[in-house]
């Protein structure tokens, strides 16, 4: 099954060439060199801009190529798969502009589109040193500019003088434009903040602003993570995005889009980590056998493969939901932003135990890229609201979500459109974005129908019985989770730890509903083509559901029979030079495997593998 977003991403992948070839502009060797020197990847960003990556940050109505968020996600996944520093450093421009796309005037959109098209970096300036994620505590202030007259007008045409410091801002120094959440009412509160599109080019450095020093970071070392301090900087009245006092609402709606798009960073990191680990397992010899032939190593790889596809399924449905159920995006965006980064972190952790010492060493296996992926990805979970922020967002909606499940309400038609990859996506209607999913989740409400569709198929095809058993068990668990949500429906502040755990379980349930919906609506069309073997007989669906049940802490989850065929598909895909993915995507370089300085056994590797051989069961799955 060919899918347009993957075809567009394939165009970029093919242009960039084989990342294992040091002669390519966007090679792993070059990325490691830049990381070692903590240098911004400006030359690689120029390559991407020559292709036109910045056009995907601009909505089509402003002349760009952003027609749907699924395509943007797959394009950024390509960049993140090669290097997260580049994806974070360049992709920040989209995050910086999204407030304008949601709430800006046509003129603001036109001017911003011109700047982005010209390669001008844009930043989103939300956080402050003293307040972190507490946006309502922000101290950067905008004082009305000019002297007041009797008619209420001011000299200078209105506008503000802003003062204060924004800190840990991506591209704060390199960027020329910043969307700054500013306190424009001394009393603050939900209507006391305004997003101001600040243009540093219209200010005097040293007098109106100064850039704060780049912060040295453990990962994404080359990124411009710095800050900016304003001192009475003049900002014109037409810089207000969404009107004075609308800043918090604009930002919260914008974060629904950016949290969804953060999944592309985790998907790319997971792709890369899994490929490195598989190549190692295929070549490494222990006890006279290849590592990939040892049972525990096979189990780790198969579980990782299932986790990659679970993240891809949820992220795909979430990206399409931007268009089809924007009034429920507050739910799916929070669940996706929590689950995909944390799932990728856990995946990398499991693969670390498989690689042993080589997970930490440079210039030994895969040029040492695994340790870079590990370091770089750890920050993704902090972007646009950390784990607790996103789980808290779900807790705040427990009442409407529990009621929606009981009533079977929610936008089920919009959810079905998100599932069906052949269905065209309507343009995003920003006016439909809502801070709360008032009728519940349509994705969740479709679950009984998705299970029934699988049940009908399994009646004719015994090969689906394993997937059906997992789906039916999932349906029972989801009912229990909604009962637990209902018990916490009155929580507003001082959220108890138990409520956060229920929100975590809800996210896993939403991923299961998304996976079942995606399979039910596409398995026939997807059963042909280069990834058809994954869709036939529930080869990907069964292990994905089993992994989600395991992570939910269900007793006796972890069905061994669910995984062998998935592992063989992973190996076959790698051998064919394809990305391990739900839909076809060819990687450059064919079956080329990274050079390994030493693939043979040594004492430390024997110790690692023996220690791993008896993995332990935890509530988050099997620890290998």
């Amino acid at each position: 099954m060919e899918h347009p977003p993957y075809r567009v991403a394939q165009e970029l992948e093919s242009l960039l060439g084989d990342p294992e070839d040091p002669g390519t502009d966007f090679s792993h060797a070059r990325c490691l060199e830049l990381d070692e020197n903590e240098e911004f990847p400006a030359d690689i960003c120029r390559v991407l801009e020559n292709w036109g990556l910045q056009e995907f940050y601009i909505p089509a109505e402003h002349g760009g190529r952003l027609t749907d968020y699924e395509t943007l996600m797959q394009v950024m996944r390509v960049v993140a798969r090669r290097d997260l520093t580049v994806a974070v450093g360049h992709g920040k421009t989209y995050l910086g502009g999204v407030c304008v796309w949601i709430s800006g005037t046509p003129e603001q959109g036109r001017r911003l589109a011109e700047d982005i098209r010209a390669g001008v970096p844009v930043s989103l300036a939300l956080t402050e040193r003293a307040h972190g994620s507490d946006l309502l505590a922000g101290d950067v202030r905008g004082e009305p500019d000019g002297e007041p007259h009797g008619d209420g007008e001011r000299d200078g045409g209105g506008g503000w003088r802003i003062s204060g410091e924004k800190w840990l801002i991506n591209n704060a120094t390199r960027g020329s434009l910043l969307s700054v959440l500013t306190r424009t009412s001394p009393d603050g509160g939900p209507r006391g903040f305004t997003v101001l599109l600040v243009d540093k080019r219209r200010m005097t450095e040293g007098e109106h602003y100064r850039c704060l020093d780049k912060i040295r970071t453990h990962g994404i070392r080359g990124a411009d993570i710095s800050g900016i301090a304003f001192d009475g900087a003049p900002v014109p009245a037409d810089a207000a995005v969404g009107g004075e006092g609308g800043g918090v609402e604009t930002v919260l709606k914008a974060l629904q889009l950016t949290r969804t798009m953060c999944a592309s960073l985790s998907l790319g990191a997971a792709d890369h980590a899994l490929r490195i680990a598989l190549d190692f397992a295929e070549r490494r010899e222990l006890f006279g056998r290849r590592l990939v032939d040892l049972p525990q190593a096979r189990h780790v790889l198969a579980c990782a493969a299932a986790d990659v596809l679970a993240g891809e399924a949820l992220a795909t449905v979430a990206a399409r939901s931007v268009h089809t159920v924007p009034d429920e995006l507050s739910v799916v965006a929070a669940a996706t932003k929590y689950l995909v980064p944390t799932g990728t972190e856990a995946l990398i952790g499991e693969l670390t135990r498989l690689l042993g010492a080589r997970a930490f060493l440079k210039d030994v296996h895969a040029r040492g890229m695994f340790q870079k992926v590990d370091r770089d990805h750890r920050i993704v979970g902090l972007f646009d609201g950390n784990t607790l922020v996103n789980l808290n967002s779900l807790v705040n909606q427990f009442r409407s979500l529990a009621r929606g499940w009981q009533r079977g309400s929610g936008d089920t038609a919009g959810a079905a459109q998100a599932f069906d990859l052949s269905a065209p996506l309507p343009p995003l209607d920003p006016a439909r974005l809502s801070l709360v999913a008032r009728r519940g989740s349509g994705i969740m409400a479709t679950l009984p129908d998705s299970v029934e569709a699988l049940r009908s198929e399994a009646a004719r095809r015994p090969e689906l019985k394993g997937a059906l058993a997992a789906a039916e068990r999932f349906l029972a668990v989801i009912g229990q989770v909604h009962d637990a949500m209902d018990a916490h429906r009155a929580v507003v502040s001082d959220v108890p730890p138990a409520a956060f755990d229920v929100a975590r379980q809800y996210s896993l349930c939403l991923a299961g509903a998304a996976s079942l919906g995606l399979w039910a609506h596409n398995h026939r069309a997807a059963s042909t083509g280069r990834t058809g073997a994954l869709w036939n007989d529930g080869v990907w669906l069964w292990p994905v559901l089993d992994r989600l049940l395991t992570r939910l802490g269900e007793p006796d989850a972890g069905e061994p029979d669910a995984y062998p065929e998935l592992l063989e598909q992973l190996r076959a895909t790698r051998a064919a030079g394809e990305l391990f993915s739900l839909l076809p995507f060819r990687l450059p370089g064919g079956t080329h495997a990274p050079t390994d300085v030493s693939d043979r056994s040594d004492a430390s590797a024997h110790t690692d593998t023996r220690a791993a051989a008896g993995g332990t069961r935890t509530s988050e799955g099997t620890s290998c």
Side-chain angles (χ1 to χ4, degrees):
M1 178 182 180
E2 298 292 330
H3 190 44
Y6 287 70
R7 286 203 300 268
V8 175
Q10 183 77 74
E11 176 189 330
L12 175 59
E13 184 79 61
S14 300
L15 170 78
L16 295 175
D18 184 1
E20 292 300 329
D21 179 0
T24 60
D25 293 313
F26 197 170
S27 67
H28 290 155
R30 177 59 176 153
C31 292
L32 286 165
E33 177 187 5
L34 292 167
D35 182 71
E36 193 71 19
N37 295 328
E38 301 188 18
E39 180 181 347
F40 188 85
D43 53 345
I44 298 175
C45 289
R46 280 191 293 271
V47 171
L48 296 173
E49 287 168 3
N50 289 338
W51 178 73
L53 178 60
Q54 67 275 21
E55 294 286 344
F56 289 90
Y57 306 154
I58 306 171
E61 58 265 33
H62 297 295
R65 293 186 67 182
L66 179 53
T67 57
D68 69 272
Y69 281 79
E70 189 186 2
T71 298
L72 174 59
M73 184 178 71
Q74 292 302 332
V75 168
M76 291 308 299
R77 182 183 181 183
V78 169
V79 181
R81 185 160 52 246
R82 289 170 177 258
D83 185 42
L84 276 169
T85 301
V86 177
V88 169
H90 197 280
K92 187 63 177 181
T93 288
Y94 168 74
L95 275 66
V98 70
C99 289
V100 173
W101 309 142
I102 288 175
S103 301
T105 65
E107 177 60 19
Q108 286 174 331
R110 183 192 63 78
R111 292 199 306 263
L112 180 61
E114 289 178 354
D115 278 327
I116 292 176
R117 189 173 291 110
V120 175
V122 187
S123 292
L124 180 61
L126 299 182
T127 56
E128 300 177 12
R129 195 186 303 261
H131 306 300
S133 298
D134 188 358
L135 300 183
L136 292 179
D139 286 328
V140 171
R141 296 178 180 270
E143 302 288 344
D145 195 10
E147 293 296 324
H149 298 293
D151 58 3
E153 295 296 322
R154 294 177 179 271
D155 294 334
W160 295 268
R161 291 275 179 172
I162 66 171
S163 299
E165 177 187 295
K166 292 291 184 180
W167 186 66
L168 292 186
I169 308 302
N170 192 355
N171 281 346
T173 301
R174 295 184 64 258
S176 297
L177 292 164
L178 300 96
S179 294
V180 182
L181 183 64
T182 309
R183 182 187 289 260
T184 49
S185 170
D187 295 334
R191 303 299 299 177
F193 291 80
T194 305
V195 173
L196 300 179
L197 188 59
V198 174
D199 191 341
K200 290 160 58 176
R201 297 169 298 185
R202 301 173 67 173
M203 301 176 176
T204 302
E205 186 173 4
E207 177 184 354
H208 297 135
Y209 77 91
R210 59 185 174 84
C211 295
L212 306 181
D213 290 341
K214 167 180 161 59
I215 304 297
R216 298 188 67 186
T217 52
H218 180 63
I220 59 169
R221 291 174 175 170
D224 171 21
I225 307 297
S226 53
I228 187 168
F230 298 103
D231 185 9
V235 179
D238 63 1
V241 178
E244 185 172 352
V248 172
E249 182 176 355
T250 292
V251 165
L252 292 178
K253 289 180 177 179
L255 287 174
Q256 293 177 19
L257 299 176
T258 62
R259 286 168 178 169
T260 304
M261 289 301 101
C262 277
S264 64
L265 305 178
S266 294
L267 292 179
D271 292 338
H272 196 176
L274 180 58
R275 186 178 183 185
I276 291 172
L278 178 62
D279 286 342
F280 176 75
E282 292 281 12
R283 302 177 60 170
R284 181 72 169 157
E285 289 188 6
L286 294 170
F287 315 120
R289 302 167 66 187
R290 288 187 304 166
L291 185 58
V292 75
D293 295 323
L294 299 178
Q296 188 65 11
R298 293 175 63 83
H299 178 69
V300 171
L301 289 168
C303 289
D307 290 344
V308 165
L309 298 186
E312 182 179 24
L314 176 59
T316 297
V317 172
R320 293 176 63 83
S321 295
V322 169
H323 301 269
T324 65
V325 281
D327 48 343
E328 297 177 7
L329 194 62
S330 60
V331 175
V332 70
T336 301
K337 178 57 174 64
Y338 158 68
L339 198 61
V340 180
T342 56
T344 298
E345 285 183 17
L347 177 152
I348 291 173
E350 294 296 322
L351 295 178
T352 294
R353 284 183 274 277
L354 183 70
L355 284 161
R358 285 162 180 77
F360 305 96
L361 300 178
K362 300 178 181 180
D363 302 321
V364 175
H365 176 68
R367 304 182 187 275
M369 280 298 292
F370 191 91
Q371 55 84 28
K372 185 178 187 309
V373 173
D374 185 9
R375 286 188 289 105
D376 289 350
H377 183 264
R378 294 187 188 199
I379 200 170
V380 176
L382 302 179
F383 288 148
D384 302 345
N386 61 27
T387 291
L388 292 179
V389 168
N390 284 286
L391 291 178
N392 191 73
S393 177
L394 292 174
V395 172
N396 289 338
Q397 300 182 71
F398 273 3
R399 179 187 295 272
S400 60
L401 292 174
R403 286 181 176 177
W405 173 255
Q406 293 163 2
R407 298 168 180 173
S409 61
D411 188 352
T412 54
Q417 192 175 8
F419 296 147
D420 185 355
L421 298 181
S422 67
L425 293 173
L428 166 64
D429 180 2
R432 286 186 60 194
L433 290 170
S434 173
L435 301 184
V436 177
R438 294 179 174 82
R439 296 188 300 137
S441 168
I443 292 174
M444 200 69 86
T446 63
L447 182 63
D449 289 341
S450 297
V451 174
E452 181 56 37
L454 178 57
R455 188 178 294 118
S456 297
E457 286 289 322
R460 299 184 293 103
R461 298 169 55 196
E463 300 86 357
L464 291 171
K465 287 185 176 179
L468 176 60
E472 289 178 331
R473 189 172 181 185
F474 217 94
L475 188 57
V477 171
I478 286 177
Q480 297 167 10
V481 170
H482 279 92
D483 289 343
M485 292 168 64
D486 195 48
H488 293 286
R489 66 185 182 277
V491 170
V492 177
S493 59
D494 297 327
V495 179
F500 282 110
D501 192 54
V502 174
R504 181 188 66 83
Q505 293 172 345
Y506 181 85
S507 299
L508 292 163
C509 291
L510 194 73
S515 298
L516 278 159
L518 201 64
W519 186 88
H521 283 78
N522 301 283
H523 69 95
R524 290 188 178 87
S527 63
T528 60
R530 302 200 307 272
T531 58
L534 280 173
W535 293 80
N536 286 324
D537 305 333
V539 166
W540 74 264
L541 181 62
W542 185 11
V544 162
L545 293 179
D546 189 74
R547 283 291 293 161
L548 293 171
L549 287 168
T550 300
R551 294 169 69 181
L552 279 162
E554 282 298 288
D556 301 321
E559 174 56 55
D561 292 341
Y563 297 92
E565 183 57 30
L566 185 70
L567 176 59
E568 293 314 307
Q569 290 302 319
L570 169 66
R571 299 177 68 187
T573 298
R574 178 69 178 110
E578 297 271 343
L579 176 68
F580 184 69
S581 171
L582 292 172
L583 298 169
F585 193 96
R586 187 169 295 281
L587 296 171
T591 59
H592 177 78
T595 301
D596 199 343
V597 174
S598 62
D599 281 336
R600 303 300 171 184
S601 58
D602 58 37
S604 63
H606 278 276
T607 301
D608 292 339
T609 304
R610 287 176 181 143
T616 59
R617 178 80 65 182
T618 71
S619 61
E620 286 294 326
T622 300
S623 172
C624 300

